[in-house]
Amino acid sequence: MPRLMIFPKLPTDIQVKGLIFDMDGTLCLPQTWMFSEMRRVLGIARSVDILDHIYSLEVAEQEIAHEKVRQVERTAMVQMKPQPGLEELMVFLEDNKLLKAICTRNFNTPVNYLLTTFLPKKLFHPIVTREFKPPKPSPAGILHIANHWKIEPKHLVMVGDSVDDMLAGHRAGVTTILIESDVNSHLKDAKETDAVVQRLDNIISLLRGGIEIADRMPVVPEEEVRALDE
């Protein structure tokens, strides 16, 4: 029998209106081997960004490289495990009518697998995947979501586990929350990180306590502005 979770309502003057989530390492537990394997099949060094490398290739070679990466993601997909506190946080957000979206560098199949397997009937919209360009650490995907919701970035939160998530959120002018793990502790003190939690349901106490929202203007490079209108 499903466990009944009842949370006190948030005060009506809460400044946070919506949360944007990364997927790998955020909604599900991190699988750090996945990125090493992607670089292995592509033949690139650890210092090279995977998507930057793919988009630097000739058009005919890009789809071949994308498929190599997608195959790694399919393997990781079936090993996916939910992040602790996932269900509790989702119930809380829905009870308090806070919007939810996803902004990930993954492709759509693993995202759909996570939603249907661990979050059935939970509404995330929009869902920004790898098809959206430019990807994180550009703020364009987050600002696209803010524009869709018609909400100022300062009223939104980006939840993630990587430097790309923190950079994208900071540049978008939203508050950033880092899901801490044994591989990303170095990000705790980064200027782009506004708050740190060990579990997703720790975010509930942050929201109930009135998390201090960031008050900074979005910073979008000129060449990325066009993505916000697409």
Side-chain angles (χ1 to χ4, degrees):
M1 184 175 181
R3 180 159 52 100
L4 180 63
M5 290 172 279
I6 301 176
F7 298 103
K9 295 291 184 182
L10 288 172
T12 55
D13 61 347
I14 183 174
Q15 297 189 61
V16 175
K17 306 300 180 186
L19 288 85
I20 302 167
F21 294 89
D22 173 52
M23 192 185 82
D24 295 306
T26 300
L27 293 175
C28 59
L29 289 173
Q31 299 182 70
T32 53
W33 64 266
M34 179 170 59
F35 304 106
S36 298
E37 180 63 10
M38 288 177 185
R39 290 187 169 88
R40 187 191 70 78
V41 299
L42 292 174
I44 59 176
R46 183 177 179 179
S47 59
V48 178
D49 183 89
I50 293 167
L51 294 184
D52 284 350
H53 167 74
I54 292 176
Y55 296 136
S56 73
L57 299 174
E58 296 293 330
V59 174
E61 296 176 335
Q62 286 188 24
E63 180 53 31
I64 296 172
H66 272 304
E67 184 54 30
K68 289 180 179 179
V69 168
R70 287 193 291 259
Q71 189 53 50
V72 175
E73 290 170 317
R74 292 186 189 101
T75 300
M77 176 182 77
V78 296
Q79 301 175 25
M80 198 181 283
K81 295 181 180 178
Q83 189 77 244
L86 175 63
E87 178 66 15
E88 290 84 350
L89 177 60
M90 293 304 114
V91 170
F92 178 82
L93 297 181
E94 293 197 342
D95 282 353
N96 286 278
K97 297 179 171 54
L98 296 180
L99 297 170
K100 305 185 299 301
I102 291 175
C103 184
T104 177
R105 285 162 59 103
N106 213 309
F107 83 117
N108 62 322
T109 298
V111 176
N112 292 335
Y113 179 88
L114 179 138
L115 294 177
T116 56
T117 305
F118 304 117
L119 294 168
K121 300 182 181 178
K122 298 294 190 297
L123 177 63
F124 287 80
H125 187 74
I127 295 175
V128 173
T129 64
R130 184 154 66 234
E131 283 66 34
F132 184 96
K133 298 178 185 176
K136 296 179 294 186
S138 165
I142 295 173
L143 293 174
H144 169 77
I145 293 169
N147 289 345
H148 179 85
W149 284 343
K150 295 180 172 56
I151 296 175
E152 291 182 75
K154 69 178 181 179
H155 294 300
L156 303 179
V157 171
M158 175 69 205
V159 183
D161 72 307
S162 73
V163 63
D164 287 342
D165 300 324
M166 299 300 101
L167 281 170
H170 186 85
R171 292 168 178 171
V174 308
T175 301
T176 59
I177 298 179
L178 176 73
I179 305 294
E180 186 182 6
S181 70
D182 57 0
V183 298
N184 68 7
S185 293
H186 61 287
L187 296 174
K188 288 194 301 182
D189 299 320
K191 68 177 182 179
E192 294 84 7
T193 302
D194 296 313
V196 182
V197 297
Q198 284 70 46
R199 293 169 48 100
L200 279 175
D201 52 353
N202 292 159
I203 295 173
I204 296 172
S205 58
L206 287 181
L207 294 173
R208 291 182 61 194
I211 184 173
E212 184 177 350
I213 65 170
D215 190 10
R216 49 182 173 254
M217 293 296 293
V219 178
V220 187
E222 187 66 30
E223 65 271 16
E224 296 178 3
V225 172
R226 58 183 174 77
L228 303 179
D229 300 321
E230 295 177 355

